[in-house]
Amino acid sequence: MKVLLWITFVVMFILIAIPLILLFLDSFKGEEALFTLKNYIDTFTRKSNIKSALNTLYLAISTTFFATLIGSVLAWLIARTDIPGKSILKTLLMVPYMIPPFIGAMGWMFLFGRAGYLNKLWEKFFGHILFNVHSFPGLVLVMTMYMYPPVFITVHTALMSMDASLEEAGRVCGARLFRVMRTISLPLVLPSILSGAFLVFAMTSANFGIPALIGMPARIHVLTTRIMSYIASGTEKGLSRAVSLSVILVGIAITGLTLNNLFVSKSKFTIITGKSTRPTEIRLGKFKMITSFAVWIFVIFAVFLPLFSLSLTSLWKAWGLPFKFSSFTFGNFYKVLFVDENTKSAIRNSFVFAILSATFVTILGSVVAYLSVRVKSLVSKFMDGLSTLPQAIPGTALAVAMILMWSSKFGINLYNTMWIIIVAYTARYMFLSVRTVSGAVRQIHESLEEAGRSIGAKQLRVLKDITFPILKPALLSSWALVFMPTFRELTISILLYGPQTRTIGVTIYELQEGGEYQMASAFAVFVLVIAFILQYVVNRYLLGRERT
């Protein structure tokens, strides 16, 4: 067991720790000195980089405010009121969380771009466009629509876990609804609200897809898009500036996630009690139908309209044709799936990369999970913490770290090959496997394995005959949970792909940037269909088997 522990530790250290250490050290490395601030001075004496950093902060703060407000209000309405259709509303409100943000951004572009459907319709009647999504307010709007779900689910869970007798006591004492909310409910769920807010702040700072598609056409850069621009330049100076910006971005993201973890622990301590009283539904009375109507309008606006515009664009023969039956075709899907060599190659690559990454992550992650639960040592704890670190930092920063690590730094050059992408995916999504499998390992009592060893079975035989069959549902869930995000990943792939290693995410992005809107939309709809099918399989079959 000790040999396996140390082998796993070395693999994890090479996979995750060394690239991140290199990223940090290289940001202080100069041509003549081992430690210098020259890279940071050079980077931040450029006004464009200062502007990008400020844009990142402004975007993160603005998105956090609106996403927290929307998510908290919706969570309260779904969890505590008698609004009709709460079950279906809760499901629909979580749909944006399942959609890759860059694909969602495409749907918003087709609605509110300069030639977007709603803008063209509005201009026809009123002589001017309704809203230009390629602006900072547009960037905040689209980002908010894909960042409110974490707040919604965090606050909803907290509200459902509260001790309802506290609010009941307030109402018994004669306090009105809003006073009970202000003096009792809000203070109790405030840690959860703040937790969700800090999580949104970190996720917004790290996002690449939405700023790239919505902000870059308006020359609005954030740190993630600026890093991509420097890497794309292919120069040594560009790489050093990308490294400096990546370290700054890591600091911003980790600050948000650290504060999130702090308030998660406070949230659990404050509001969850041993009582199992179910919260009493608040009757909205005459406001019931108005509130329900408002929530459904939001769902249509946030969920259905972007997906509808994306689907509609995928069926157009050409952009700008009149709205009639002869203008639509399924030919775009046929071209994407069976004709165009770039898209066919991207589909093959994404399937191969996702399958290999999911397999490697599940194998290594399950070993880390088993050792972290069964072996009580500092090494196992360190590995467990190390597995979550790549998820805590932005994907662009991780990609830059992988470039530093695997571009002949130690005599191994994986750059422009499929393996650097697979290595990056493996590091990025390791936490999914570790968290999924470790929970299952904790449910296996050690006496089962001890019984096998007591009759003379060796450790490997015990793992094969006892532990593995019990863990099989968790391992399958781990594999599927890693396959889904890696199949349509963009943020890491856009910095690491080579001429022969384009992925689906990269290809959709390039088609969109090249003006091939119909093909990009058809490809995006294909990805969404695959994603929803996989999500259904995981929810209905794999996770269902794990619970039983």
Side-chain angles (χ1 to χ4, degrees):
M1 188 70 77
K2 285 186 178 181
V3 174
L4 180 61
L5 176 66
W6 282 104
I7 292 175
T8 307
F9 171 78
V10 170
V11 172
M12 291 290 289
F13 198 80
I14 294 173
L15 180 67
I16 298 173
I18 293 181
L20 297 180
I21 292 171
L22 285 176
L23 178 68
F24 182 76
L25 294 179
D26 269 42
S27 70
F28 295 102
K29 184 180 178 181
E31 295 178 358
E32 301 177 354
L34 292 176
F35 183 86
T36 177
L37 295 175
K38 184 180 178 181
N39 292 331
Y40 287 98
I41 294 172
D42 172 67
T43 299
F44 285 100
T45 51
R46 300 176 65 87
K47 291 183 178 179
S48 59
N49 292 333
I50 297 175
K51 182 68 173 176
S52 298
L54 291 175
N55 284 341
T56 301
L57 287 175
Y58 295 154
L59 178 62
I61 292 170
S62 302
T63 302
T64 298
F65 173 79
F66 290 110
T68 302
L69 180 64
I70 292 171
S72 300
V73 171
L74 289 172
W76 182 79
L77 289 173
I78 301 299
R80 308 310 292 273
T81 71
D82 63 343
I83 187 172
K86 290 194 291 185
S87 178
I88 184 65
L89 282 172
K90 181 182 176 182
T91 301
L92 291 174
L93 288 169
M94 289 302 298
V95 167
Y97 196 65
M98 296 184 287
I99 298 174
F102 75 96
I103 290 180
M106 290 170 57
W108 285 95
M109 288 174 61
F110 298 141
L111 283 175
F112 291 110
R114 295 188 182 278
Y117 299 122
L118 291 184
N119 273 340
K120 293 295 288 184
L121 185 64
W122 189 272
E123 187 177 26
K124 181 178 181 180
F125 289 101
F126 300 101
H128 59 86
I129 65 173
L130 175 62
F131 179 71
N132 179 19
V133 76
H134 296 294
S135 61
F136 194 82
L139 190 53
V140 173
L141 171 66
V142 177
M143 193 71 80
T144 299
M145 292 300 101
Y146 292 93
M147 293 298 164
Y148 77 82
V151 180
F152 170 77
I153 196 63
T154 301
V155 178
H156 181 274
T157 302
L159 287 168
M160 296 301 292
S161 303
M162 280 177 55
D163 183 1
S165 63
L166 299 173
E167 294 177 317
E168 303 253 346
R171 286 193 289 268
V172 168
C173 293
R176 295 182 179 274
L177 172 61
F178 288 103
R179 186 173 181 183
V180 171
M181 290 173 57
R182 179 173 57 85
T183 59
I184 298 177
S185 305
L186 182 59
L188 289 175
V189 298
L190 186 59
S192 294
I193 294 174
L194 292 175
S195 168
F198 288 125
L199 184 59
V200 169
F201 183 89
M203 292 172 63
T204 303
S205 302
N207 190 273
F208 168 79
I210 294 175
L213 290 175
I214 302 296
M216 286 179 66
R219 297 184 179 179
I220 301 172
H221 280 276
V222 295
L223 288 177
T224 52
T225 57
R226 182 62 64 185
I227 290 169
M228 186 203 71
S229 299
Y230 280 133
I231 294 295
S233 69
T235 64
E236 191 70 27
K237 182 65 71 174
L239 180 59
S240 66
R241 288 170 179 165
V243 169
S244 301
L245 291 178
S246 297
V247 172
I248 299 298
L249 188 59
V250 168
I252 294 173
I254 287 183
T255 298
L257 289 169
T258 301
L259 292 171
N260 166 67
N261 292 335
L262 174 65
F263 282 97
V264 162
S265 61
K266 283 189 176 182
S267 166
K268 291 179 180 177
F269 175 79
T270 303
I271 65 171
I272 298 179
T273 71
K275 298 182 179 180
S276 60
T277 54
R278 184 177 181 82
T280 304
E281 283 190 348
I282 297 171
R283 298 188 178 278
L284 297 174
K286 61 182 179 180
F287 298 105
K288 181 176 180 178
M289 297 310 298
I290 296 175
T291 305
S292 178
F293 178 77
V295 173
W296 276 103
I297 288 295
F298 176 82
V299 169
I300 292 171
F301 183 75
V303 180
F304 289 113
L305 277 181
L307 292 179
F308 173 76
S309 70
L310 187 69
S311 302
L312 188 65
T313 305
S314 70
L315 297 173
W316 281 112
K317 288 182 178 178
W319 189 261
L321 290 178
F323 192 84
K324 56 183 182 181
F325 186 78
S326 60
S327 298
F328 296 98
T329 179
F330 284 100
N332 297 320
F333 289 94
Y334 181 80
K335 187 176 181 180
V336 162
L337 298 176
F338 304 108
V339 177
D340 189 272
E341 289 301 323
N342 288 332
T343 56
K344 288 164 61 180
S345 173
I347 293 172
R348 287 194 299 270
N349 287 340
S350 288
F351 268 112
V352 171
F353 298 169
I355 290 170
L356 290 176
S357 300
T359 303
F360 293 155
V361 168
T362 300
I363 293 172
L364 182 57
S366 60
V367 174
V368 172
Y370 183 83
L371 292 173
S372 65
V373 174
R374 290 288 188 256
V375 180
K376 307 301 181 183
S377 69
L378 290 177
V379 175
S380 62
K381 289 181 179 179
F382 180 79
M383 286 195 305
D384 182 67
L386 195 60
S387 68
T388 65
L389 188 56
Q391 187 62 24
I393 66 175
T396 47
L398 180 63
V400 173
M402 291 297 168
I403 292 173
L404 295 175
M405 176 71 181
W406 302 110
S407 296
S408 299
K409 191 78 170 183
F410 299 100
I412 302 175
N413 186 10
L414 301 181
Y415 194 58
N416 279 343
T417 71
M418 61 181 279
W419 296 109
I420 193 171
I421 297 177
I422 293 171
V423 168
Y425 286 175
T426 302
R428 176 70 167 176
Y429 297 102
M430 182 65 62
F431 85 105
L432 287 174
S433 179
V434 173
R435 290 291 167 265
T436 302
V437 178
S438 62
V441 173
R442 288 189 179 92
Q443 295 177 1
I444 303 174
H445 199 277
E446 293 185 34
S447 61
L448 292 174
E449 295 175 334
E450 290 174 358
R453 288 192 292 268
S454 68
I455 59 174
K458 294 184 178 181
Q459 183 65 38
L460 289 178
R461 181 73 181 271
V462 170
L463 291 174
K464 181 175 72 74
D465 293 343
I466 298 176
T467 308
F468 178 76
I470 299 175
L471 289 179
K472 189 175 180 180
L475 296 175
L476 291 172
S477 296
S478 166
W479 193 93
L481 289 172
V482 175
F483 181 91
M484 286 188 289
T486 53
F487 178 71
R488 39 76 167 175
E489 204 279 334
L490 171 66
T491 305
I492 292 174
S493 308
I494 196 70
L495 295 180
L496 300 180
Y497 80 95
Q500 305 301 320
T501 58
R502 283 181 173 84
T503 63
I504 285 177
V506 171
T507 305
I508 291 175
Y509 177 79
E510 290 183 339
L511 288 171
Q512 179 69 26
E513 290 295 289
E516 297 285 348
Y517 303 128
Q518 289 74 34
M519 284 188 64
S521 299
F523 213 0
V525 171
F526 165 74
V527 171
L528 289 180
V529 170
I530 296 295
F532 283 124
I533 290 174
L534 288 172
Q535 189 69 48
Y536 177 83
V537 171
V538 170
N539 290 340
R540 293 284 182 170
Y541 177 68
L542 295 179
L543 293 182
R545 283 187 58 183
E546 189 174 358
R547 294 189 191 101
T548 57

